[in-house]
């Protein structure tokens, strides 16, 4: 499995991954994550260098993650996700590869923090912790337990209200 930055030609396959990965949770049609992904691609907050695909040796895309510019108060941060793996390839470490590579690339670019909404058990393995316990307030208080942050490159976590890229606010 190889992880690399997405290219515009990967978008169809990346969208198919997200649609498939989130299909079980969709109510009445297309997963909200798929529409969100399309809006994020069109957003000025979209960061192509930090949006990654995981592909097999044959070049087939099996996993995808998008990263967008976000803010904690007035301090730049990153929002990770949605992240998805084709259901038939889940449980093989592809998600871990995408998260690890996202962290590594963001650190190399000098970013200070990475925020996501996800499983504390899964993301805790990569150094993510509850954001509210670090002084970062989620956009929705119902997310508190699953709203997580990771400091990057030895930086301190900024304190304040977190704001995802604008397309997240329409959810």
């Amino acid at each position: 499995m190889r992880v690399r930055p997405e290219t515009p030609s990967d978008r169809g396959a990346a969208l198919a991954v997200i649609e498939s990965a989130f299909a079980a949770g969709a109510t009445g049609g297309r997963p909200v994550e798929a529409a969100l992904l399309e809006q994020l691609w069109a957003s000025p907050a979209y960061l192509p260098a930090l949006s990654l695909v995981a592909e097999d040796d044959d070049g087939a895309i099996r996993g995808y993650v998008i990263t967008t510019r976000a803010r904690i108060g007035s301090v730049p941060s990153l929002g990770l996700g949605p992240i998805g793996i084709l259901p038939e390839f889940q449980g093989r470490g592809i998600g871990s590869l995408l998260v690890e590579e996202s962290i590594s690339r963001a650190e190399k670019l000098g970013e200070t923090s990475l925020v996501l909404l996800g499983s504390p058990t899964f993301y805790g393995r990569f150094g993510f912790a509850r954001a509210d316990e670090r002084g970062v307030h989620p956009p929705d208080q119902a997310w508190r337990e699953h709203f997580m942050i990771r400091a990057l490159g030895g930086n301190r976590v900024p304190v304040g209200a977190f704001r995802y890229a604008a397309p997240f606010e329409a959810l």
Side-chain angles (χ1 to χ4, degrees), residues 16-34 85 87 90:
V17 166
I18 295 299
E19 287 176 334
S20 183
F22 289 95
T27 54
R30 189 174 191 220
V32 67
E33 294 84 358
I85 311 303
Q90 291 175 3

Side-chain angles (χ1 to χ4, degrees), residues 3 11 21 23 25 30 40 57 68-69 75 86 93 103 106 108 111 113-114 119 128 132 145 152 160 162 164 166 171:
V3 175
R11 288 194 177 173
R30 189 174 191 220
L40 290 171
D57 292 337
T68 50
R69 176 61 60 208
V75 178
L86 288 173
I103 292 167
K108 287 176 184 170
E111 296 289 343
S113 59
L114 190 57
S119 164
F128 286 88
D132 64 337
E145 183 181 338
L152 299 172
F162 182 83
Y164 275 111
L171 295 179

